[in-house]
Amino acid sequence: SFYKELYPFSEDPLFWIHLNVDYPFNLTGVLYFPKVKNDFEIQKNKIQLYSRQVFITDEVKDVVPDFLMLLHGVLDSPDIPLNVSRSYLQSDASVKKISQHITKKVADKLSELYKKDRKDFEKKWDDINIFVKYGIISDEKFYDRAKDFALLKNVDGEFFTLDEYREKVKATQTDKDQNLVYVYASDPGKQDSFIQAAKNKSYDVLLLDGVLDNHFINTLEQKLEKVQIKRVDSETADKLIDKDEKMESVLSKEEQEQVKSVFEKSIGNKNMVVA
């Protein structure tokens, strides 16, 4: 009901986080996770900052980490003076601690939701993954906390943690240099033939079609040891993962001679070589 009072025309939030800190700074508040469209429309001025219930600003860029600017809610801290300026927010130690605390609380809440009910967390993933991926891309400490609950989704709608996915594809998607190769689709409709060809070789195909996914892929390649991530249509299925396999002829010597004879008659060349 409080959310509806603040944002009367918004959809119900996915969940919310209560903040109540009295040391080493004072902070109370509530932050809501809204449903965010995949086109990444940043709606500013959705978090209001107060000091002792007196409104200060809705420009909270330096109080709330960049990747959480899409959240909605209200924060109240007596440690922030009423006549606040942007330069103050950028330099004040208490503000930096508040920002770090909010990051930790968000990570803790997401971890709690994942551990409490993974299936429900998976249902929410399409709506919350933009927050998680943005945090992983932009905040080292958030990545350290999020790597256990960040999910990868494949084109069949199955979900895996980063560790689970490594184990899933290890047997079939390791190249000749012992690198794991993750294959992904960015447009399953247009890439369907490539997806099917990859599946025919027993490769799993991830779905990474979001606005942040190019940056997310780059971050994962930097963070995950000996992992390469390739788009499913970047090569033919045979060349996606270089396993240095030599193709053995499926024909016997007798059958090779028969094929050679057919080609010789067709092109009139007695000196051709059948490889």
Side-chain angles (χ1 to χ4, degrees):
S1 61
F2 181 53
Y3 184 79
K4 286 295 185 184
E5 191 172 316
L6 291 172
Y7 314 103
F9 301 108
S10 298
E11 288 185 72
D12 288 346
L14 296 165
F15 53 90
W16 51 88
I17 299 167
H18 288 283
L19 302 167
N20 191 3
V21 187
D22 53 21
Y23 183 84
F25 51 84
N26 285 286
L27 175 71
T28 57
V30 56
L31 293 175
Y32 299 92
F33 271 70
K35 287 188 176 181
V36 179
K37 295 176 183 176
N38 205 32
D39 58 6
F40 202 51
E41 294 175 346
I42 295 188
Q43 301 168 328
K44 295 182 178 178
N45 310 334
K46 290 295 185 179
I47 299 177
Q48 300 170 14
L49 181 63
Y50 290 77
S51 179
R52 300 184 190 278
Q53 300 181 30
V54 177
F55 177 73
I56 300 175
T57 182
D58 49 18
E59 287 284 344
V60 294
K61 187 177 186 321
D62 298 291
V63 181
V64 176
D66 246 5
F67 71 96
L68 296 176
M69 288 293 289
L70 294 169
L71 296 184
H72 297 173
V74 177
L75 300 173
D76 190 312
S77 176
D79 291 332
I80 298 175
L82 292 176
N83 297 319
V84 71
S85 65
R86 279 302 301 276
S87 59
Y88 173 87
L89 288 175
Q90 289 171 340
S91 61
D92 184 69
S94 291
V95 171
K96 288 178 182 175
K97 287 176 184 174
I98 289 171
S99 178
Q100 291 168 359
H101 178 76
I102 290 171
T103 299
K104 181 180 182 303
K105 288 290 287 186
V106 168
D108 289 348
K109 179 68 174 184
L110 290 168
S111 179
E112 175 195 326
L113 291 171
Y114 168 76
K115 290 174 181 175
K116 184 178 178 181
D117 189 340
R118 173 161 172 171
K119 285 298 177 188
D120 186 61
F121 188 80
E122 290 177 358
K123 289 176 185 174
K124 288 184 171 73
W125 183 249
D126 286 345
D127 291 304
I128 64 175
N129 77 81
I130 196 164
F131 297 103
V132 178
K133 289 175 180 178
Y134 195 2
I136 284 172
I137 292 164
S138 61
D139 190 311
E140 191 81 28
K141 288 183 178 178
F142 185 81
Y143 169 77
D144 291 338
R145 295 186 176 107
K147 62 187 178 183
D148 293 330
F149 60 74
L151 298 179
L152 297 173
K153 180 181 177 181
N154 69 13
V155 292
D156 298 319
E158 300 171 318
F159 293 91
F160 307 90
T161 64
L162 298 180
D163 286 342
E164 288 169 352
Y165 199 72
R166 178 182 285 273
E167 289 303 311
K168 175 179 174 60
V169 302
K170 187 165 59 176
T172 55
Q173 294 178 217
T174 301
D175 70 10
K176 63 184 176 64
D177 298 317
Q178 298 305 301
N179 293 310
L180 282 174
V181 180
Y182 295 178
V183 179
Y184 76 95
S186 57
D187 190 334
K190 292 180 180 177
Q191 297 165 330
D192 184 64
S193 61
F194 293 94
I195 293 170
Q196 297 311 317
K199 284 185 172 184
N200 288 339
K201 294 192 68 73
S202 298
Y203 299 160
D204 189 74
V205 182
L206 292 170
L207 178 63
L208 292 169
D209 61 348
V211 69
L212 291 177
D213 279 331
N214 283 337
H215 301 290
F216 181 59
I217 288 164
N218 291 337
T219 301
L220 288 184
E221 286 189 314
Q222 292 169 22
K223 298 289 187 186
L224 302 179
E225 189 176 352
K226 292 183 76 67
V227 168
Q228 295 177 358
I229 305 176
K230 292 185 178 181
R231 206 172 72 187
V232 69
D233 58 353
S234 62
E235 299 274 6
T236 60
D238 289 335
K239 294 181 179 179
L240 273 174
I241 303 175
D242 183 4
K243 298 185 178 181
D244 203 23
E245 295 173 337
K246 291 186 168 50
M247 297 294 290
E248 298 293 333
S249 175
V250 295
L251 302 178
S252 66
K253 285 192 175 181
E254 184 181 334
E255 288 170 331
Q256 288 180 31
E257 288 300 320
Q258 289 174 353
V259 171
K260 180 180 176 183
S261 174
V262 170
F263 274 91
E264 285 173 349
K265 287 176 182 176
S266 297
I267 62 176
N269 180 3
K270 297 283 186 183
N271 299 316
M272 73 174 290
V273 175
V274 176

